[in-house]
Amino acid sequence: MNHFVIMPKMKKILMLAALSLIFVVLGIVLLFISFSVKAEESAWLTLASILPIVIFGLCFIYYLKIFIKREPAVIISAEGIVDQSSFIGAGIVKWDEIKEIQFVSFSGQIYLGISTFDRELIINRTTGIKKLFNQVNKGLMETQVNIPVKILACSLDEMLKVINEYWEWAMQERNSKI
């Protein structure tokens, strides 16, 4: 079977990069304002300006990297689903590791949610800041892999159809080996 490649919507990526840059600029403006206020208020204002600079600065770099590299966000293959849709993308999730696939809604956004048999699978595969973010993600949503569908250049129906075809094929392959 051939791979089914889903690219990110470049307009969405560009928009997210622009929004990140706006928040960085606002953080810088807030930082300059913090230099002109009283010492007691300055510490809180400085912290409140540095956090968006760092967080949204990293987001801007990430989205800029996606825009320049133009790599697939999701790859569906005979081996499994490769999630590269976000900074904490799970990488390859093999068909025999997947317990359930569903659409989930969180904060007004729809995700392709993948539940694995091992709830710690994705966390155990990552290190550093990605591991921390995946642990936070585990506390927010039931599914271990969450792919934001609004950034994917593919219809939900087509993606679901392809996932079902590959998953059924993988289950038949597994059953034929038993």
Side-chain angles (χ1 to χ4, degrees):
M1 293 183 89
N2 294 330
H3 293 28
F4 184 77
V5 175
I6 304 171
M7 299 299 289
K9 290 180 183 173
M10 285 302 146
K11 286 182 182 179
K12 282 275 191 203
I13 298 301
L14 214 52
M15 182 193 70
L16 291 169
L19 285 173
S20 297
L21 188 58
I22 289 169
F23 280 108
V24 168
V25 170
L26 288 174
I28 291 170
V29 168
L30 203 58
L31 184 62
F32 281 115
I33 292 171
S34 74
F35 294 142
S36 65
V37 296
K38 296 179 186 175
E40 311 90 47
E41 299 166 3
S42 176
W44 288 108
L45 200 52
T46 301
L47 181 64
S49 61
I50 290 175
L51 281 175
I53 292 170
V54 171
I55 292 169
F56 289 105
L58 291 172
C59 290
F60 175 73
I61 292 167
Y62 174 75
Y63 290 126
L64 192 60
K65 180 184 141 203
I66 288 175
F67 187 76
I68 292 169
K69 282 192 169 184
R70 297 189 188 252
E71 293 178 342
V74 176
I75 302 170
I76 304 167
S77 70
E79 192 175 354
I81 299 174
V82 180
D83 171 25
Q84 302 173 142
S85 64
S86 67
F87 177 71
I88 61 169
I92 181 85
V93 183
K94 297 181 180 178
W95 293 115
D96 59 354
E97 298 170 332
I98 297 174
K99 179 180 178 182
E100 181 182 27
I101 299 173
Q102 60 186 329
F103 288 105
V104 292
S105 180
F106 180 75
S107 287
Q109 187 170 346
I110 296 177
Y111 295 86
L112 176 68
I114 302 172
S115 297
T116 59
F117 290 108
D118 178 5
R119 294 219 4 104
E120 302 291 320
L121 178 74
I122 307 306
I123 294 170
N124 292 337
R125 288 183 180 171
T126 55
T127 59
I129 193 78
K130 285 186 179 186
K131 185 172 195 145
L132 176 68
F133 286 154
N134 275 311
Q135 287 172 329
V136 169
N137 191 45
K138 179 184 172 194
L140 296 174
M141 300 174 79
E142 288 294 314
T143 51
Q144 289 75 50
V145 180
N146 298 292
I147 301 169
V149 297
K150 74 178 183 180
I151 68 156
L152 302 178
C154 177
S155 75
L156 297 181
D157 292 335
E158 183 180 13
M159 182 172 53
L160 201 54
K161 178 182 173 247
V162 171
I163 287 172
N164 285 332
E165 287 173 3
Y166 274 90
W167 200 3
E168 286 175 21
W169 179 83
M171 294 305 111
Q172 288 174 356
E173 287 292 309
R174 184 182 347 164
N175 291 339
S176 70
K177 292 177 182 177
I178 296 177

